Amino acid sequence: VEPDLQGSRGSLGGLYELPYQLERARDLRELARCLSELTTFDVLFTEQSKFDLFRYWRTVEDASIAEAGAAYLEAVSQRAFPPGCVVIDLLMRLGEFMQETSKFDAAEKTLGAAIEQCRQTCQTVRRADAELELGRLLLFCGRHDESRELLTS
């Protein structure tokens, strides 16, 4: 009997369970599609389950099915944000995920999107947070002049 994986998307518990079931079934293409959704990211990128998210992406990337940075940047470019989410917060968490998985180019683009979102919504304090995080990333990547310019502007 084949499990009804589509039906489990309707609940929060289902969003936790679906990637696990797809990984166990070795349905890596569907797992990549599921992980690429910002709703799934929003649910799984917590202190309790982020290491599961890392493992799922490693499984997908090791099989050369998809790449997390590209998948999330595509979702951001399509503005496929979960209903009710705070976009800037989600972008900052995506930036954190990209840094923790050594996807520094994607982290830079995601944090840049967070800064732009802050500019558009006149959120000065959140913009400063995003700029500080991007400045730290640039410094870590050895781009000292760019970091200094960003952090002193």
Side-chain angles (χ1 to χ4, degrees):
V1 175
E2 194 170 310
D4 176 20
L5 297 179
Q6 291 301 100
S8 53
R9 285 186 190 265
S11 68
L12 185 61
L15 285 173
Y16 280 107
E17 185 68 19
L18 183 58
Y20 172 78
Q21 293 297 333
L22 293 169
E23 182 186 44
R24 289 207 50 202
R26 300 296 298 163
D27 188 350
L28 300 184
R29 292 199 187 288
E30 184 62 21
L31 177 59
R33 194 187 68 65
C34 175
L35 294 175
S36 297
E37 295 176 8
L38 294 176
T39 301
T40 303
F41 173 84
D42 193 36
V43 168
L44 291 179
F45 192 69
T46 65
E47 287 302 315
Q48 297 83 7
S49 59
K50 72 180 183 179
F51 295 104
D52 292 329
L53 180 64
F54 295 156
R55 186 186 74 244
Y56 298 142
W57 270 115
R58 186 176 55 242
T59 300
V60 167
E61 290 178 343
D62 286 350
S64 300
I65 305 273
E67 195 272 323
Y72 288 138
L73 288 173
E74 176 65 22
V76 167
S77 74
Q78 293 178 2
R79 310 232 6 112
F81 298 108
C85 85
V86 177
V87 173
I88 294 166
D89 290 344
L90 184 67
L91 290 170
M92 293 293 289
R93 290 173 54 228
L94 275 169
E96 181 183 341
F97 170 82
M98 300 299 180
Q99 290 179 72
E100 289 185 20
T101 56
S102 301
K103 297 175 186 338
F104 301 118
D105 289 340
E108 181 179 354
K109 290 175 183 170
T110 304
L111 292 170
I115 292 167
E116 184 56 34
Q117 183 72 25
C118 290
R119 280 188 188 124
Q120 291 174 5
T121 57
C122 301
Q123 295 191 33
T124 309
V125 173
R126 291 298 291 157
R127 179 178 166 191
D129 290 342
E131 287 175 344
L132 178 61
E133 193 60 36
L134 181 55
R136 288 179 180 157
L137 173 64
L138 294 171
L139 188 61
F140 176 80
C141 292
R143 295 164 55 190
H144 303 106
D145 292 339
E146 291 174 76
S147 178
R148 183 179 14 259
E149 182 180 325
L150 176 68
L151 295 175
T152 57
S153 63

